[in-house]
Amino acid sequence: MRRKTVRYLSRYLLPALFLLLLSCGQKQNRQSQAVSDSTIVFKHFKLANARRQFQKAITEFERQNPGLHVREEILPSNSNIQHQFYVTSLESHSADFDVFLIDVIWTPEFSLAGWLEDVSDLFPDSVQSQFFPAPIKADTYQGRLFAIPWYIDAGVLYYRKDLLQKYGFTPPTTYDQLVRQAQTIVQGENQKNLNGFLWQGKQYEGLICVANEIISGFGGTILDDSGRVRLQDAPVRQALQWLKDTIYRYRISPRWALSADEENTRLSFLNGNAVFLRNWPYCWTFFQRKGSPVKGKVGVIGMPSISGKQGRSTLGGWQLAVNRFSRKKVLAKKFVRFLSSAKMQLEFALTVGTKPSRRNLYRNRQLQMQQPFIADLYRILIQAKPRPVTPFYAQISQILQIEFSAVLANIRPIPNAMHSASVQIEHILQLEQGTK
Ligand code: GLC
């Protein structure tokens, strides 16, 4: 009973309270600091390590456009919380912000709802083709572009080069190898806090990203190319079983993986407490920084697969969008063009570690020198597996988050959970058919 109450509180009441506080704070802000006609409000999440670079970029934009100002408003980094915030604001046609960062999975939903300004005129087709095709596809709705890919993400596997070498291992390409290496090293090191493999298992969007790529590494998929739900296929069952086994059977992942997100797994690995970590490419700059306990000891590769299958990482990333209810759309577009320029993307890549959405930057010498794995990453990014691209993605993800979590927490058998998820998702897809 108590556990249920706590779950209820943390799942529904606390986020609602948080959003309420956020909007109260912003109202107060607005009253004390009226936004002038020449000020654009840029809303984005708290991107790790990016504070100074954002300020630098804004100063540069203001220098190039005398009289214009940009004011940042910052949201928490959890994708679910940001999504709730935007849905609430945009449903009431809020004009409180002009430019905002959106997750690659939201563009179809926000476009269908009519919340995004058409930005096709910013870049002609010839320039659009310089970007990675998958996020451009996700940002295109009924032939028009509604957001500009700003940076691109794909899941990667970080490993401790020094430890693998010490035990004579080469980086794992299969899940079996990953398990064996993690077990051997953890046993051999006999170090109290050392975990074999960290991943994001909390009930949120990050879990879908992990599951999506493990499923694909087992040769399965959530939806197939013709849009059919494939959750009851054997590879999906095997993938979920493997993830579960990392905790309960192989014991290479700690139980706290079930409440882990990107940042706490990054910190644990940074402090030398894990052999392998699944995370996004942004972590690299943190690991290599001066003072990092793992500096020079980390390698990075694409996600493994079962033998004979091709591992594919989940496609992620963030897009620049213009609020359709903004009263300063022309200025807002100017800022989007500026921030998505090759120069800005390169600066953010070098200082923050975000990965450019413009493909030719992967040939940049400075970036290649600073981040030698960038060439391999290009291959991983180009092959990355998108989550289902549909305006109903948020509902689909919500169902998957509940069912995957129940499986991993060992409270629901895999076949039951996947049957239930399939029935619910099929229903949603039928609704989608009705909107076409
Ligand atoms: C990263 C990805 C984003 C994904 C999120 C999940 O920010 O870029 O696409 O939804 O992680 O936590």
Side-chain angles (χ1 to χ4, degrees):
M1 180 65 196
R2 265 199 32 216
R3 267 178 58 188
K4 255 191 169 165
T5 318
V6 171
R7 256 214 325 264
Y8 181 79
L9 272 172
S10 65
R11 199 172 298 161
Y12 302 108
L13 287 185
L14 293 183
L17 197 66
F18 171 81
L19 286 175
L20 191 74
L21 288 175
L22 201 71
S23 67
C24 289
Q26 275 164 5
K27 257 191 206 122
Q28 258 181 16
N29 244 351
R30 247 175 282 140
Q31 279 157 7
S32 57
Q33 210 186 335
V35 180
S36 76
D37 282 352
S38 54
T39 300
I40 308 159
V41 176
F42 173 34
K43 228 168 174 90
H44 62 81
F45 69 93
K46 190 167 179 294
L47 180 59
N49 199 22
R51 202 63 238 107
R52 293 230 318 259
Q53 182 56 44
F54 269 126
Q55 278 161 1
K56 185 167 172 251
I58 288 171
T59 309
E60 174 62 15
F61 177 74
E62 292 177 343
R63 196 189 59 75
Q64 288 179 17
N65 297 276
L68 281 192
H69 300 287
V70 176
R71 198 177 86 196
E72 290 172 272
E73 282 182 4
I74 300 175
L75 290 175
S77 52
N78 182 307
S79 175
N80 293 36
I81 294 181
Q82 294 178 64
H83 181 260
Q84 276 188 42
F85 172 83
Y86 287 125
V87 169
T88 316
S89 309
L90 294 166
E91 258 171 0
S92 60
H93 296 191
S94 167
D96 290 353
F97 54 92
D98 307 290
V99 175
F100 60 130
L101 265 191
I102 63 176
D103 198 333
V104 64
I105 47 187
W106 307 338
T107 324
E109 175 193 0
F110 289 11
S111 309
L112 176 71
W115 295 338
L116 304 181
E117 180 65 10
D118 185 336
V119 287
S120 314
D121 56 332
L122 276 183
F123 297 119
D125 288 354
S126 58
V127 180
Q128 282 182 32
S129 62
Q130 294 169 10
F131 288 77
F132 280 96
I136 286 283
K137 185 164 168 234
D139 291 344
T140 304
Y141 183 69
Q142 295 185 335
R144 311 293 299 170
L145 196 61
F146 282 94
I148 308 290
W150 188 47
Y151 77 83
I152 181 167
D153 258 345
V156 286
L157 187 72
Y158 293 96
Y159 61 92
R160 282 284 299 279
K161 235 169 26 186
D162 56 331
L163 291 178
L164 262 61
Q165 252 160 27
K166 180 169 165 190
Y167 290 82
F169 292 132
T170 52
T173 55
T174 67
Y175 296 122
D176 284 347
Q177 287 169 3
L178 188 153
V179 170
R180 197 164 50 86
Q181 295 185 6
Q183 285 176 331
T184 312
I185 295 174
V186 169
Q187 265 170 25
E189 289 299 292
N190 196 18
Q191 176 191 321
K192 192 163 157 268
N193 292 324
L194 188 67
N195 282 302
F197 176 42
L198 295 180
W199 46 279
Q200 297 80 45
K202 176 171 145 178
Q203 188 176 321
Y204 80 126
E205 187 55 36
L207 169 60
I208 308 304
C209 298
V210 173
N212 184 53
E213 65 203 7
I214 305 283
I215 289 173
S216 110
F218 272 85
T221 182
I222 296 174
L223 296 189
D224 64 20
D225 292 342
S226 50
R228 266 186 323 217
V229 185
R230 304 304 295 261
L231 287 168
Q232 299 192 76
D233 290 3
V236 176
R237 286 204 301 275
Q238 289 155 4
L240 292 177
Q241 187 62 50
W242 185 82
L243 259 183
K244 252 179 97 168
D245 286 345
T246 62
I247 302 178
Y248 307 103
R249 181 168 162 216
Y250 308 134
R251 295 175 188 275
I252 56 171
S253 303
R255 280 197 77 108
W256 65 263
L258 299 179
S259 56
D261 61 17
E262 284 87 358
E263 280 296 88
N264 55 22
T265 48
R266 171 180 73 76
L267 281 170
S268 184
F269 187 88
L270 176 87
N271 288 324
N273 292 332
V275 183
F276 296 106
L277 163 72
R278 182 274 170 204
N279 212 316
W280 305 101
Y282 81 97
C283 297
W284 175 260
T285 35
F286 285 93
F287 299 152
Q288 291 309 104
R289 259 205 221 160
K290 210 168 130 211
S292 151
V294 291
K295 187 169 187 318
K297 299 179 181 166
V298 180
V300 52
I301 45 170
M303 292 303 291
S305 59
I306 55 167
S307 145
K309 295 279 178 226
Q310 161 86 56
R312 279 179 80 188
S313 303
T314 293
L315 174 80
W318 292 81
Q319 333 295 307
L320 286 160
V322 172
N323 177 359
R324 198 161 72 84
F325 310 108
S326 156
R327 286 184 280 271
K328 299 164 202 162
K329 292 190 197 115
V330 175
L331 303 186
K333 280 190 180 177
K334 214 175 192 158
F335 185 59
V336 168
R337 186 198 291 278
F338 169 83
L339 215 52
S340 54
S341 65
K343 181 169 180 287
M344 278 300 125
Q345 290 201 10
L346 180 62
E347 271 190 26
F348 272 84
L350 289 167
T351 58
V352 180
T354 47
K355 298 296 166 275
S357 57
R358 289 174 180 264
R359 290 180 292 151
N360 59 359
L361 288 175
Y362 290 73
R363 288 198 298 269
N364 178 277
R365 285 301 297 272
Q366 206 184 347
L367 198 56
Q368 286 178 346
M369 298 267 286
Q370 191 205 57
Q371 301 172 22
F373 73 100
I374 201 92
D376 291 342
L377 192 64
Y378 181 83
R379 190 186 40 81
I380 297 170
L381 289 165
I382 214 92
Q383 291 170 353
K385 170 125 177 119
R387 285 157 278 172
V389 180
T390 144
F392 291 86
Y393 179 76
Q395 285 97 314
I396 294 179
S397 173
Q398 197 60 34
I399 295 164
L400 292 174
Q401 287 173 35
I402 293 170
E403 300 295 347
F404 287 165
S405 281
V407 163
L408 295 172
N410 229 349
I411 51 183
R412 216 148 183 216
I414 297 174
N416 303 24
M418 290 308 96
H419 176 258
S420 155
S422 302
V423 172
Q424 297 176 69
I425 294 174
E426 272 154 14
H427 179 68
I428 288 174
L429 293 176
Q430 273 164 17
L431 293 179
E432 182 186 1
Q433 285 305 320
T435 66
K436 281 187 179 156

